[in-house]
Structures are given as structure tokens and as C-alpha cells.
Amino acid sequence: IGRPLFEREGRVVLPTPVGEGYYRACVETLKRLDRATQTASAGRHAARLRMGLMPSFTRGALAPALARFMQAAPGAEVHITEAYSGVLTEMVRAGELDFAVVPGFEGARGLSTTLLAREREMLVAAHGGDARHLQPASPEDLEGRDIILPSEVNTRRHTLETYFATHGIGIGRRMEMDAMIGTLEFIACSGWVAILPSFMMAGDRMGERFAIRPLERPALSSDFVLIEPSRQAMSAPAQAFADLLREETTRISAQWDDLLAA
């Protein structure tokens, strides 16, 4: 096309600004072509949906959203993969999933990202003891506490470590656990705590089993994004389900707002 698209820096080849713009325009063209193909062939096959969700979403927002989706599309073929962000990101990049929901991260080539929800983080401890359900928790409440953290491959780990370092929080023992059910069961029978997204704890918001406290002064929140292949248009069933997930997380957030305000 008469303009350099790449430049070499040592052994690394990088796109020039012209190359980057050309790439993005081509990707958008491929997406429009894919969307046109889907529209032209609509109704030829039963709806098929392949999505990936983190355990926090499968515990909190999945069931009600899935119930609404299956009622609207009873013949749909649904495949759901539960995994952590690193695995889900690679599966989307490889075309094995229509979309996935993961913690927010810097954009990666080959993927499109859309903000799905911004959720407050909660300090979760066992019910009883000195824990005060729904009372705001400050950095001082974390001082010296034994805490369960996601492993280094989980994007939220960096967010939590930054929060500790920024506010000079000296936590006690650390345990890495990428198992949500195991994490909650261990918290319930021990003095260990964890910091978890509010939508994950929606079913426990009345405090029967856990003391759940919003982190405040300062508050801590996490972004969760929907990722999809950048050169493929999301199918109508996938878009419908993504919209239901967004609605469900919004509903859960409103429930927490009402409860904390009261």
C-alpha cells in the first residue's frame, strides 16, 4: 500500500501507527462480514452458545440469567466453562468460546473488551466472633488478619496486593486458593478472611453464615469485562445472554446498595 506497516527494533517487529490503524480497520471489516453472514443464515441452526465464566459469576449471577435465557430460547444449545481469567482469555483467543467474563485488564491483541460491571469488594469472614455484618471495613480491619488470596495468575491478585501496599496494610499469613467453594467453606470454619466481589456473595447478604463488610475509607472496587474475539461478531444468542448477565449484576448491586443504606 506504499507505506511501511511494520518496523524492527532489534529482534522485535512492531506495527507502525499506519500499520496499527490498517489492522484495526481490517478487523472491523471482518467483524461486519461475520455479522452479515450470521444475519443471512439466521434460523438455519438452533441457537448455540459457548461462554466462559469465573467461579464468582457462576455462584452469583449465572443461575437467574440462565433461567431467563432458557425460557426465551428453550431450544438453545448451551456450553458453559468455569475457569479463571488466564484460562478463559486463552480459550476466547483460540476461538473455543464466544465470550468470557474476566476481571478488567489491559487490552490484548485479538480480543475486544467491554465493561460488564464495576463491583465493590467485600471483606468476608465467618459469622459471629468480632465480625460485624454489613459494617464498613477499613484498612485497619485487615491489619494482621490471615487472608486467602487468589493465585498470581488471577488478575484480581494484583489489585489486592496494590491495595495492601498503598495503604500500608500488614496482613498476617497468606494462603493461595483458586477454589471458590473451598475458600468459603474454609472461611466458615476458621478465623481466615478473604476479599471477594459483592455479586459473588449475593446469596449470603443476610449474614446467616458469613459476616460481609464493604471495604471503605477508601473503597475498593473491581472491573469485570466481557471479552470476545475482535474479528468475529458476537452471535445473537451470545449477545442476549451477555445482556442478561449485565442486568443480573446490576440487580444484585442495587440489592446491596439498598441493604447497606438501610
Side-chain angles (χ1 to χ4, degrees):
I1 62 175
R3 298 285 299 279
L5 301 182
F6 302 96
E7 57 187 2
R8 184 181 296 278
E9 293 184 5
R11 296 185 177 183
V12 179
V13 177
L14 298 172
T16 64
V18 172
E20 184 70 30
Y22 187 65
Y23 166 79
R24 294 186 183 281
C26 290
V27 166
E28 187 57 37
T29 299
L30 289 172
K31 181 172 285 191
R32 287 199 298 270
L33 177 62
D34 190 50
R35 187 177 296 115
T37 302
Q38 291 183 26
T39 301
S41 62
R44 182 181 176 187
H45 303 291
R48 184 168 181 262
L49 172 63
R50 305 170 303 163
M51 62 179 168
L53 297 174
M54 302 174 304
S56 52
F57 262 86
T58 59
R59 187 177 193 266
L62 173 63
L66 183 59
R68 291 173 61 192
F69 179 80
M70 294 308 297
Q71 185 175 14
E77 180 182 337
V78 179
H79 300 266
I80 300 172
T81 298
E82 181 183 82
Y84 285 93
S85 55
V87 174
L88 295 178
T89 300
E90 291 307 313
M91 291 183 72
V92 172
R93 186 180 280 115
E96 299 170 8
L97 296 173
D98 298 318
F99 73 88
V101 177
V102 299
F105 66 103
E106 294 295 328
R109 187 166 304 281
L111 298 176
S112 296
T113 64
T114 306
L115 180 66
L116 184 74
R118 177 164 292 153
E119 294 293 319
R120 58 165 56 92
E121 295 281 356
M122 306 293 227
L123 176 62
V124 180
H127 176 78
D130 62 350
R132 297 165 292 163
H133 183 58
L134 299 183
Q135 295 300 307
S138 65
E140 289 74 20
D141 292 304
L142 289 168
E143 190 70 29
R145 300 296 298 268
D146 296 334
I147 189 166
I148 303 170
L149 297 168
S151 68
E152 296 284 355
V153 299
N154 191 308
T155 307
R156 289 181 63 252
R157 175 65 176 268
H158 175 70
T159 300
L160 297 178
E161 294 286 8
T162 301
Y163 186 80
F164 300 153
T166 300
H167 303 292
I169 302 170
I171 63 175
R173 291 177 294 173
R174 298 168 181 244
M175 179 188 299
E176 288 189 358
M177 190 183 302
D178 280 335
M180 281 296 104
I181 293 178
T183 295
L184 292 173
E185 292 301 317
F186 183 64
I187 290 173
C189 65
S190 72
W192 288 68
V193 301
I195 298 173
L196 301 171
S198 57
F199 60 75
M200 178 182 168
M201 305 305 297
D204 302 284
R205 62 183 179 276
M206 302 314 295
E208 294 93 345
R209 194 176 183 208
F210 299 101
I212 306 168
R213 305 172 63 189
L215 282 173
E216 296 186 5
R217 300 190 302 272
L220 177 64
S221 62
S222 293
D223 289 342
F224 295 88
V225 297
L226 183 148
I227 59 173
E228 58 179 306
S230 59
R231 64 179 59 192
Q232 295 175 359
M234 187 179 291
S235 66
Q239 185 62 62
F241 198 93
D243 291 341
L244 289 174
L245 277 178
R246 183 176 287 104
E247 292 174 11
E248 189 58 29
T249 55
T250 300
R251 184 185 69 83
I252 292 173
S253 293
Q255 288 179 333
W256 276 114
D257 289 342
D258 293 342
L259 189 61
L260 292 171

